[in-house]
Amino acid sequence: MKSGLGRTIRTPVLALLASLIGLLLSDSAVATDIWTENFTGQEGKGMHGSTALGIVTNMSGITKWSVSGAGGLNGDASLNWWMVTNGVFEGQDVGGSLGYWESESIDVSSNGSVQIAMDFAQIGDGLHGSGNKFEVGYRLDGGTEQDVLTIDSSNQDQFDGLSWTSITINASSATGLTVEISIKASIGDDGWSFDNVALQTATPDQPPVLSHIGIKAVASGGTLSFDVTAIDPVDGDMISLSASNLPSGAVFASITNAAAVTNTFTWTSANPVGVYTTTFYAVDGDGVDFEDVVITVAGFAGGDGDVWINEFHYVNAGSDTNVGFEIAGPAGRNLSPYVIYHYNGSGGATYSPHTTALSGTVDDEQNGHGALWFGVPENHLQQGPDGLALVKIAEGETNLLQFLSYEGEFVAVGGPADGVQSIQVDVSEAESTTVGHSLQLKGKGNAYQDFTWFGPTNHTRGVLNTGQIIILDPTVLLVR
């Protein structure tokens, strides 16, 4: 069973289960290496080149393995390679046809069942584009290649950084086995790498492996969705994926599949604000792996849900003008404890400089409410997906009040919205937007959730929006 963040035994039942699994594993055979390759001392060996340089194959002094398929390098103006780089075997911009790596023939005459093991890591964005893939296979006594793994854009995230072991290979009728690896990565900065290749005696009866999920967070009222995946890389057993202690309204159905299984956790309109712990399980006939996942619903803390982002503008035709945002709330509210964090949807981190400090006091424009406008440099609000996080910092506490995004949703990385999925505004601006227009809330109410986004339309910077009517909560009169 794994250890790490969130993986804790919380009940005597789970403690007993962990003990039983430990006994099961202690009785299982331990894999031993028959053949290994970690590319030590082989820096630069392989194929590399470009249109200007030509394609170079450098295998001098190498006897343990070979490379082929030089036509698989794109041969464009940039440098492409399929070789040992920084101590691992990397393939970047390997396209057109496949580039191949092949081990020497490994003696398996005294081994009945074997397995291939290696470490994976993606280069750049990994594998993207039609037909791009990374494959692992083998040949017994030089026969037909048998594939045991294909990695592409649909599954690369679960293999990135993984120490992988193949299914069991029956080699009882063979004397020699050759490990075969091929790649196609036709986009310039993308690719895949592998290291620490080994052929091992097979390790039977291993529990499934639940891919690490990690801490999750969502803004109050938003939607949290993430995939949960488990694999059985050794013996391909049927795996059952399930969860316990789901938050009210969250959905994660139990599902069963052979060798690998994935299901999606979904929680729409996540509420109430708080911290929840849900346990996800992967179970097969050989054991169980599980993870306790902490889910935080961040919302309108400290009674400040009545302060909200009311209007903003980020791009227009020609030179961008009057870029900024508006904060609305009750008259008399001092905004000096409030800060806007500007998040970049590309990667999820904050811009630098990444905050706009608020100031001033909200005036009374309509039924005890008003709005203040804050202009910012153009690079604080760019075309999206980007986001605005409204934060209150007071009395030693930092409370995230809102995390809105436009032109797409994303999960924040760092800052007070770290791990929170943005709530996307369903309107946007473009480079053709008329100068003097903005995106605005309209409708009737006295809190953010009462209104709806409209626009682009004529700005109302610094005052409540046209078509926005403040209605105070009704007073209930009891007549006896």
Side-chain angles (χ1 to χ4, degrees):
M1 181 161 50
K2 296 179 181 177
S3 61
L5 184 63
R7 296 178 182 266
T8 57
I9 297 173
R10 297 183 295 115
T11 69
V13 173
L14 289 179
L16 176 60
L17 180 61
S19 176
L20 292 174
I21 296 304
L23 290 174
L24 172 65
L25 295 181
S26 67
D27 290 337
S28 298
V30 176
T32 57
D33 291 342
I34 302 169
W35 177 96
T36 61
E37 175 60 84
N38 60 13
F39 308 112
T40 300
Q42 298 172 8
E43 192 72 18
K45 304 299 181 181
M47 300 183 295
H48 66 276
S50 66
T51 301
L53 299 175
I55 304 301
V56 177
T57 300
N58 176 13
M59 297 297 294
S60 60
I62 299 299
T63 58
K64 294 183 68 175
W65 51 269
S66 61
V67 295
S68 61
L73 296 180
N74 271 348
D76 54 27
S78 62
L79 183 63
N80 321 289
W81 65 84
W82 179 227
M83 65 183 188
V84 180
T85 307
N86 299 320
V88 301
F89 204 108
E90 294 188 351
Q92 180 165 316
D93 207 7
V94 185
S97 59
L98 294 173
Y100 294 93
W101 175 91
E102 178 180 288
S103 78
E104 65 180 347
S105 179
I106 305 161
D107 183 2
V108 292
S109 57
S110 60
N111 302 95
S113 297
V114 296
Q115 60 196 23
I116 301 169
M118 64 185 69
D119 299 336
F120 295 129
Q122 71 179 37
I123 303 170
D125 291 329
L127 299 163
H128 292 276
S130 176
N132 288 346
K133 60 184 178 178
F134 177 92
E135 292 185 327
V136 181
Y138 66 92
R139 298 179 191 271
L140 293 174
D141 293 334
T144 303
E145 181 178 347
Q146 305 294 320
D147 290 333
V148 290
L149 176 67
T150 298
I151 300 174
D152 56 26
S153 59
S154 68
N155 65 358
Q156 65 179 351
D157 288 346
Q158 78 180 63
F159 289 99
D160 183 22
L162 179 71
S163 294
W164 168 83
T165 305
S166 75
I167 60 173
T168 299
I169 300 167
N170 183 358
S172 59
S173 61
T175 57
L177 182 148
T178 302
V179 179
E180 304 274 344
I181 294 176
S182 60
I183 186 173
K184 179 182 178 184
S186 59
I187 299 177
D189 294 329
D190 298 348
W192 201 259
S193 69
F194 64 99
D195 193 16
N196 298 320
V197 186
L199 186 68
Q200 305 171 332
T201 57
T203 307
D205 302 332
Q206 290 294 297
V209 178
L210 183 67
S211 297
H212 180 57
I213 302 168
I215 296 173
K216 300 296 180 180
V218 62
S220 175
T223 297
L224 177 63
S225 180
F226 57 87
D227 287 341
V228 178
T229 298
I231 59 174
D232 186 340
V234 176
D235 43 13
D237 289 341
M238 295 294 293
I239 305 171
S240 294
L241 201 59
S242 61
S244 65
N245 202 31
L246 288 169
S248 178
V251 176
F252 186 82
S254 297
I255 187 172
T256 300
N257 196 50
V261 60
T262 297
N263 202 15
T264 302
F265 170 97
T266 304
W267 190 9
T268 58
S269 301
N271 268 307
V273 170
V275 178
Y276 304 80
T277 301
T278 296
T279 305
F280 295 89
Y281 302 90
V283 181
D284 68 9
D286 301 324
V288 61
D289 192 10
F290 68 91
E291 181 176 351
D292 291 339
V293 175
V294 175
I295 301 172
T296 300
V297 178
F300 300 108
D304 290 302
D306 53 358
V307 174
W308 65 89
I309 300 168
N310 199 52
E311 179 181 355
F312 65 97
H313 169 63
Y314 59 94
V315 66
N316 55 251
S319 178
D320 297 337
T321 59
N322 293 315
V323 173
F325 56 88
E326 181 180 84
I327 301 296
R333 180 64 55 87
N334 177 12
L335 296 185
S336 60
Y338 298 82
V339 177
I340 287 287
Y341 279 72
H342 300 268
Y343 279 90
N344 187 343
S346 177
T350 56
Y351 282 110
S352 180
H354 57 256
T355 62
T356 298
L358 306 188
S359 60
T361 300
V362 178
D363 59 342
D364 188 349
E365 300 167 15
Q366 185 187 145
N367 273 339
H369 286 72
L372 295 178
W373 178 264
F374 297 88
V376 298
E378 289 182 32
N379 63 359
H380 278 45
L381 286 174
Q382 301 183 17
Q383 288 179 275
D386 276 5
L388 298 168
L390 176 60
V391 175
K392 183 179 182 182
I393 303 174
E395 299 178 355
E397 294 187 358
T398 299
N399 290 316
L400 174 66
L401 306 184
Q402 271 186 302
F403 182 31
L404 302 182
S405 65
Y406 52 91
E407 298 187 18
E409 61 183 21
F410 61 94
V411 175
V413 177
D418 186 35
V420 175
Q421 182 170 299
S422 64
I423 297 177
Q424 180 181 343
V425 171
D426 56 4
V427 293
S428 61
E429 297 179 328
E431 292 181 355
S432 58
T433 295
T434 302
V435 176
H437 282 197
S438 67
L439 306 178
Q440 307 166 22
L441 288 175
K442 298 179 184 294
K444 298 178 181 180
N446 57 29
Y448 174 80
Q449 57 267 29
D450 298 329
F451 304 106
T452 302
W453 285 99
F454 286 86
T457 188
N458 290 326
H459 79 82
T460 57
R461 294 189 300 272
V463 295
L464 292 170
N465 302 325
T466 302
Q468 184 174 38
I469 301 172
I470 300 297
I471 299 177
L472 301 182
D473 293 330
T475 300
V476 177
L477 179 63
L478 296 179
V479 179
R480 297 181 183 273

